[in-house]
Amino acid sequence: MSGTVAFFGLGNMGLGMAANLAAKGYAVRAFDLSEAALEKAEAAGCHAVPAAPDALEGAEMAITMLPAGSHVAAVWRETLFDRAAPGSLLIDCSTIDVATARELGAEAAARGFDAVDAPVSGGVAAAAAGTLTFMVGGSDAAFARARPVLAAMGKAVIHAGGSGAGQAAKTANNMLLAATMVATAEAFLLAQKLGLDPQRFYDIASVSSGQSWSMTSYCPLPGVGPESPADRGYEGGFASALMLKDLRLAMEAAQAVGASTPMGARAAELYEAFAADPARARLDVSAIIHALEGAAP
Ligand code: NAD
């Protein structure tokens, strides 16, 4: 399966994703505001273009991988809606607020486009390796059309539901990750203060009811469990600044629908304080354990 894809946003994530599409035989017309990003995209087998509308030449689908909802709305409304070929498939893979995703989905459908929100789970390494998980919101027809191109960049493509459902799944999942990470970190600290050896506590909790991905894949204590960011000085994982961005989106979504999220709200406060320090903001989410060590409850 191949075709011509207009790709907007060749940053940390988008570059690897676009490179995978090019490697799988897609013609990728790449646009980014950054000259350096365009050069990297060209080197990765894409055709870098000097202006946003140029990316759409001959393309039957467009993908955006941009920082936030405002950037996505600008590119969709100012470029895609006017310049994309009639009936094109529009895919946003960025992590943005559910409300903007739904608005853009509705506006795209009204203009005769197939559109999906398809945020990803997995970081820069998964984007480069083509092993992302996509959670997709949109009609059955739009999902069926988007699946092959998403599969070329990932290991799993899951239809979450109608427009905005991909972002809803992403926001709920990441709020859960934040809360379980904080809870895992405080459980290890409690166990330690009660005199338990951390590895012994891991051996027990990882096969007991306290088990979670935060414990068995990203254990916040170095030297405990399988290799994790904690073993690399909390480098190379999921940056706390990005976790904070996702938590703010989750809190916004919860407020909009009146959902009670006391654990998510507390996690958001803790990451808000932790990521206020730029040196900590770049560390993996599991580094939150440092904020709990010595911090009064
Ligand atoms: P990034 O900042 O590295 O890349 C964004 C790129 O978009 C930049 O190169 C920027 O120049 C470009 N850009 C901004 N406005 C543009 C415009 N109008 N037209 C064209 N290009 C434009 O960000 P990233 O880490 O690649 O993340 C992208 C999205 O993926 C975000 O929404 C993020 O939350 C999400 N995400 C990131 C990760 C991660 O680990 N980095 C993981 C999952 C999801």
Side-chain angles (χ1 to χ4, degrees), residues 102 117 136-139 159-166:
R102 291 210 167 118
D117 50 289
V136 188
S139 68
H159 194 185
S163 177

Side-chain angles (χ1 to χ4, degrees), residues 8-14 31-34 37 65-68 71 75 93-96 120-124 170 237-238 242 245-246:
F8 300 84
L10 291 306
N12 291 322
M13 297 293 288
F31 178 70
D32 195 292
L33 297 176
S34 147
M65 191 54 167
L66 300 166
H71 307 87
V75 170
C93 293
S94 328
T95 302
I96 71 168
V120 305
S121 178
V124 179
K170 170 87 184 167
F238 179 38
L242 290 175
K245 174 199 164 181
D246 293 354

